[in-house]
Amino acid sequence: MSEEKSLNFIEEIIEADLKSGKHQSILTRFPPEPNGYLHIGHSKSICLNFGLAIKYGGKTNLRFDDTNPVTEDTEYVESIKDDIRWLGFEWANEFYASDYFEQLYEFAVKLIKKGLAYVDDSTSEEIAKQKGTPTTPGVRNQYAERSVEENLQLFADMRAGKYKDGEKVVRAKIDMTSPNMHMRDPIIYRIKHAHHHRTGDAWCIYPMYDFAHGQSDSIEQITHSICTLEFIPHRPLYDWCIEKLEIFPSKQYEFARLNLNYTVMSKRKLLQLVNEKHVSGWDDPRMPTISGLRRRGYTPESIRDFAERVGVAKRDNLIEFSLLEFCVREHLNKIALRRLVVFNPIKVVITNYPVGQTEQLSTENNPEDVNGGLRNLPFSREILIEADDFMENPPKKYFRLSPGGKVRLKSAYIIQCDEVVKNDDGSIKELHCSYIPESKSGSDTSGIKVQGTLHWVNAADAIEVEVREYDRLFRVENPASEEGDFKDYINPDSLTVVKGYAEPSIKDARPADRFQFLRKGYYCLDKDSSADKFIFNRTVTLKDGWSKGK
Ligand code: ATP
Ligand code: MG
């Protein structure tokens, strides 16, 4: 196939497997544990697994890896499905590792019958001690010598609920001297009297991750099981189980997990932020969760683009948050509806404009989009501009408004500042300006050239809106690696709420709309909005204004 880009290492493996006839087609899976909401790291894995299947005409299963009853919940299952669909992917099958509990139990029985697994009565401390260290071999205890019959009976009794949590475990009998600690008779089943979100109280024994994951892959006949680098030492066990059970040979491949600076990405840590109310919820727009980014105004396209640009690495690294912001800016520039919103207003009276007259100017919704259409913009004698766009004593080369100076009002007229009207305390009350009627945008015959163009709104029908501006959630690049609690590094100023005055067309804003408030940034309507209160989230500023040490 003709390629603009070179293949990543997983694509190379897949192409070789298809070419050699090892596989006729590929089947990948995305295997979240439903113990939290998905984050941007997961989106990398989603884009990779689904993307490979799409590229090579294969399929992807969504499999909930729900073998840990205590932390899992149906709320998480629903949010995960919602987020994957929002990202633009559809799975071939929805499966649950818990659906395989009976089969996994039978697999353990098979190992016991082959003399390759045993029931161990040791405490977890004893097991840990007997395991040795990476430099000293472990030792086997007397339980490893149990007969097949005794093991089968004890395992059945474990299942029947005869024992309490921790009283017994089942271990694979592999090699207590292996340099790989995972191969030193790993635990494959444990007792846990806990309610499971799907199987209820049917089970009081649960398979360990290493005994559930590979076998679930195999049951589904996953061809390429893609996971992150920390699973490299688990691969020999993955292969060992499949080989000894004589089941479909799924293969595991590992790539570098995505890490982003100025945030944390483990569900356990994100849950702490939620539970301890450092954020308003999993979908707080400052969270690196898919639901947070979505509420913040990120688009699926921008996240997929980000995943693509990050690539598939074999070594861990820390990706810049600003790359994610770059991707969303790129996309929003193409699709966002331009709107005028003034944040910190100062009143301008256009003294030569007829009292009581309002004209409707027409302007483009998005100059980047030929199908973007036009909208009306009312203009009359009193308007608001940004206080920051006026200076009474400007420096040289000041292109905004100053006494005697001229600027263009975006999509409207050129105005000149004639008089600064003050309050008793010396502060500015309003500006008196005159406009040049022949300078109307689109039909300007004035011949006057000005350097600055300002955004503005018509005072009479400006709509007050609330704007939530977000900054990095953490003050340091890698909070998880800092000394002490990662929460000590939370940025106290990550949320600023400001007021804005928007042009009247903002009334038509819908939740899916994306906006560029001119000269300000990109925004979207927040779900906290109501019919008479508009609340906007700032997705991202227009330019990358964030540099280290701010
Ligand atoms: P966390 O540590 O955040 O809880 P996890 O790995 O335990 O993440 P899972 O639900 O087990 O979360 O992950 C589902 C899939 O997503 C796994 O295949 C996992 O390797 C992948 N994944 C998780 N985090 C990342 C990441 N930061 N980058 C790439 N892939 C990831
Ligand atoms: Mg996990």
Side-chain angles (χ1 to χ4, degrees), residues 33 35 209 231 267:
E33 187 181 348
N35 62 351
Y209 174 86
F231 288 98
K267 281 179 279 186

Side-chain angles (χ1 to χ4, degrees), residues 23 25-33 45 49 59-67 93 95-101 103-104 107 207-228 231 234-235 237-243 245-254:
H23 300 295
S25 62
I26 67 160
L27 180 60
T28 60
R29 88 286 172 262
F30 175 64
E33 187 181 348
S45 174
N49 280 296
K59 289 181 175 155
T60 306
N61 286 346
L62 169 60
R63 182 199 324 135
F64 289 99
D65 228 332
D66 57 349
T67 55
N93 300 287
F95 289 136
Y96 293 80
S98 56
D99 290 341
Y100 309 138
F101 280 168
Q103 214 164 340
L104 293 169
F107 284 155
M208 300 299 286
Y209 174 86
D210 278 327
F211 194 67
H213 197 87
Q215 281 73 293
S216 301
D217 284 344
S218 180
I219 290 168
E220 295 173 16
Q221 308 210 341
I222 300 298
T223 55
H224 299 80
S225 174
I226 300 161
C227 61
T228 40
F231 288 98
H234 298 249
R235 195 194 323 137
L237 180 54
Y238 183 103
D239 291 338
W240 184 91
C241 290
I242 283 177
E243 184 200 323
L245 292 168
E246 301 161 78
I247 53 180
F248 181 87
S250 298
K251 284 281 172 200
Q252 172 182 307
Y253 302 96
E254 309 87 7

Side-chain angles (χ1 to χ4, degrees), residues 116-157:
L116 293 173
Y118 59 95
V119 175
D120 191 331
D121 301 357
S122 310
T123 63
S124 53
E125 292 76 25
E126 284 164 343
I127 289 177
K129 208 161 152 226
Q130 292 157 5
K131 255 206 160 162
T133 69
T135 50
T136 53
V139 286
R140 227 170 229 157
N141 59 36
Q142 75 271 23
Y143 302 113
E145 307 312 319
R146 279 177 164 150
S147 69
V148 169
E149 289 66 35
E150 189 184 2
N151 280 320
L152 287 174
Q153 186 58 51
L154 289 170
F155 190 36
D157 290 344

